[in-house]
Amino acid sequence: MKAFRFRLAQALRWRDQSVLVEEARLAAAAARVAAVKAAQKDREQRCAAAARELVEADPGVAIRSYDGFLKASGRQARILAQEEKAASAEYGEAMTRLVEASRKARLLEKLCESDLRTWQSGSDRELADFVAEAFLMRQSALRRSESRRSGDALNITVVDGTIRRQTGA
């Protein structure tokens, strides 16, 4: 009997590595989305702090500086919104690539399992044929020794793994 060897084992290893790479890319994309959201939250907190300081500051100077701060903050908000959109799109693409890589790897794993089942059934058939042949050889030897003693002839054949006895005249 030959040992089981999956002919696409190297391809399966490559696919598994591809899944790991895509998982790392997905994690990086998720980290980028989280960083952008943290930056947005920080900007919102700075805006709230600036509004609180406005109440405590000199009204004329505070209003002019707060107006400039709001314009800069608005630009930063738009930039962060664009970055969040790009990061979310990158995350979606990374997720799609991960799903595709996983699908391809699972397809090869199923092919390997199918090949293994085919090999096992062939191995089982080969083993059953060997056992049947060994049994028949033992029975034949016993029958020959009995027929020498008694003079009777007995024919035994194997058809599709089934032992059939035929008595001859």
Side-chain angles (χ1 to χ4, degrees):
M1 275 183 263
K2 291 186 195 177
F4 176 72
R5 186 178 163 279
F6 183 52
R7 66 188 187 286
L8 297 175
Q10 182 63 40
L12 181 58
R13 283 191 294 277
W14 288 336
R15 293 289 185 197
D16 287 339
Q17 288 297 319
S18 174
V19 168
L20 294 176
V21 167
E22 294 304 332
E23 285 174 347
R25 287 181 181 163
L26 182 66
R32 183 170 176 227
V33 169
V36 170
K37 288 188 180 200
Q40 285 176 328
K41 187 174 183 177
D42 181 55
R43 187 201 62 80
E44 289 169 2
Q45 289 173 346
R46 281 185 287 128
C47 283
R52 282 190 301 273
E53 290 175 10
L54 178 65
V55 174
E56 299 169 0
D58 179 26
V61 174
I63 290 177
R64 282 190 299 271
S65 64
Y66 187 67
D67 183 49
F69 175 77
L70 284 179
K71 287 179 183 176
S73 180
R75 281 191 304 272
Q76 187 181 18
R78 286 188 296 277
I79 290 170
L80 287 174
Q82 289 173 347
E83 286 181 13
E84 181 185 17
K85 185 177 179 181
S88 294
E90 181 183 337
Y91 180 82
E93 291 169 6
M95 181 61 82
T96 301
R97 287 191 308 266
L98 174 62
V99 168
E100 184 63 21
S102 294
R103 185 190 66 78
K104 288 178 180 179
R106 297 312 145 243
L107 181 67
L108 279 178
E109 285 175 359
K110 286 182 181 180
L111 181 61
C112 179
E113 290 169 4
S114 173
D115 282 1
L116 179 61
R117 282 191 301 273
T118 301
W119 175 83
Q120 284 174 332
S121 66
S123 176
D124 291 346
R125 271 193 308 274
E126 187 177 334
L127 183 59
D129 289 346
F130 175 76
V131 167
E133 187 176 331
F135 174 77
L136 288 177
M137 290 180 75
R138 173 82 174 127
Q139 290 298 318
S140 177
L142 288 174
R143 296 292 180 211
R144 272 193 302 246
S145 66
E146 286 177 11
S147 67
R148 284 186 197 137
R149 283 186 237 137
S150 66
D152 294 340
L154 179 67
N155 293 326
I156 300 174
T157 60
V158 176
V159 177
D160 296 328
T162 305
I163 302 171
R164 297 192 180 173
R165 302 170 87 190
Q166 299 172 343
T167 55

